[in-house]
Amino acid sequence: MSEPAPVAALPLAAAPMAGLTHSAFRRVVSAFGGCDLLYTEMLAGAALLQETPDSPYLKQRPGDAPAIFQLLLRDERRIEAIVARLHPCHPAGLDLNCACPNNRIRQAGGGASLLEDPERLRAILCGLRQAWGGRLSVKLRLGPSPVPRWRENFQDRLRLIEDCGVDAISINPRFAEDRHARAARHDLLPWICALTRLPVTANGDILGPETIARNPANFAACAGLMLGRIAIVRPWTFAAWRAVRPLPAPRELALQTWQSLAAGILEDFPPEKALEKLKLFAVWFSRNYAFGHTFYTAVRNAPDWTTLHARAEAFFAANPEVVLQPSLVDY
Ligand SMILES: Cc1cc2nc3c(=O)[nH]c(=O)nc-3n(C[C@H](O)[C@H](O)[C@H](O)COP(=O)(O)O)c2cc1C
């Protein structure tokens, strides 16, 4: 096995985030630079069969960072057709979502519920491995809840994942029941890395190099770092981390980001859908500002694109104060 990369050189990835990591967002992050890998939002298998490669969920542009397509599957049916549909998009890899704690998704048999049903998990992973020769990964949490034998159960799932020929995992070291309310348990990462021969990408509460610098040993055996909410609030986080280019001052940077994301969303989605997507982005982007709730409220209630645009411009014209550390609380 090769030596792990020094922590400072670990590849950086943007996490899959439903409704948010669409192609317009991926273009904005790619244009800033510094991000090595972008995940699509979770893509439901059945819905994927209706999408074409130029859909706003799938499309990529030359110059975009490589994209891993994340799948939300509840059984092994139609895997071959789903993978065939993705082939023309040239994914850098496919990822199976075994992490989503959302009740509706779990009750439907997807996301974190797969970890509770090893036979279904095995059937899906074997189906994917058979249909897809490229990089195959799994995103997971520690399990549903900290029941007495959770460590053994977690180890069993890792073994199953390895046995099915998966190439890599990413881990959000929380239980499904924690959602985002509890801190990610970075102290568990060395143990997790020692349990498996697979490369492990760490996720959860990683905000920048300062997170790693606080305790580099926690991340020393990891193969990569994945950033979620902070990447939505500040899509320039990767560029700042890697210092790939001089960035404008915070106010200008935030304004430019909003404008390019809004333009990209409008270009990719029909107007009604575009409005919905920009409002969703605004939930997180508004955290950049000391009075971000006024921005978000104005945007949320906008009945159409023109009104939304005018309200956003009025907010920016008042030269709003940008905060040093945005809140990432997931309400
Ligand atoms: C709004 C939202 C949507 C998310 N959607 C997905 C998703 O589609 N697939 C997935 O595996 N995780 C999803 N996640 C979880 C993130 O990928 C990530 O694991 C989590 O936010 C922890 O990382 P962070 O602390 O850097 O935000 C989502 C999280 C949020 C807040």
Side-chain angles (χ1 to χ4, degrees), residues 15-20 40-42 70 95 97-100 139 141 172 174 180 184 203-207 226-230 284 328 330:
M17 299 186 72
L20 294 159
T40 68
E41 60 193 284
M42 53 183 164
Q70 190 190 59
D95 184 71
N97 183 332
C98 295
C100 183
K139 182 167 181 283
R141 289 183 175 230
N172 181 358
R174 296 175 164 104
H180 294 125
N203 169 233
D205 297 337
I206 300 172
L207 306 181
M226 179 191 275
L227 281 62
R229 290 161 294 169
I230 193 67
W284 296 95
L328 298 181
D330 190 3

Side-chain angles (χ1 to χ4, degrees), residues 134-207:
R135 182 185 192 273
L136 178 62
S137 57
V138 168
K139 182 167 181 283
L140 73 164
R141 289 183 175 230
L142 298 170
S145 59
V147 293
R149 283 180 51 82
W150 75 264
R151 284 176 186 263
E152 287 82 352
N153 292 342
F154 179 73
Q155 194 166 354
D156 285 350
R157 294 306 169 270
L158 284 183
R159 208 70 338 112
L160 185 158
I161 288 168
E162 287 175 356
D163 290 349
C164 292
V166 169
D167 301 304
I169 61 163
S170 57
I171 175 88
N172 181 358
R174 296 175 164 104
F175 294 96
E177 71 169 26
D178 297 340
R179 297 172 173 271
H180 294 125
R182 302 181 73 158
R185 299 192 46 191
H186 297 155
D187 58 310
L188 291 177
L189 290 168
W191 170 70
I192 294 169
C193 293
L195 282 181
T196 176
R197 59 181 162 75
L198 300 180
V200 176
T201 291
N203 169 233
D205 297 337
I206 300 172
L207 306 181

Side-chain angles (χ1 to χ4, degrees), residues 209-227:
E210 64 281 5
T211 308
I212 312 304
R214 264 198 299 277
N215 200 335
N218 280 343
F219 300 90
C222 293
L225 305 171
M226 179 191 275
L227 281 62

Side-chain angles (χ1 to χ4, degrees), residues 25-34 38 63-65 239 244-245 260:
F25 172 80
R26 301 199 299 269
R27 284 204 295 283
V28 168
V29 172
S30 300
F32 274 122
L38 290 153
D64 284 359
V244 288
R245 66 181 70 208
S260 25

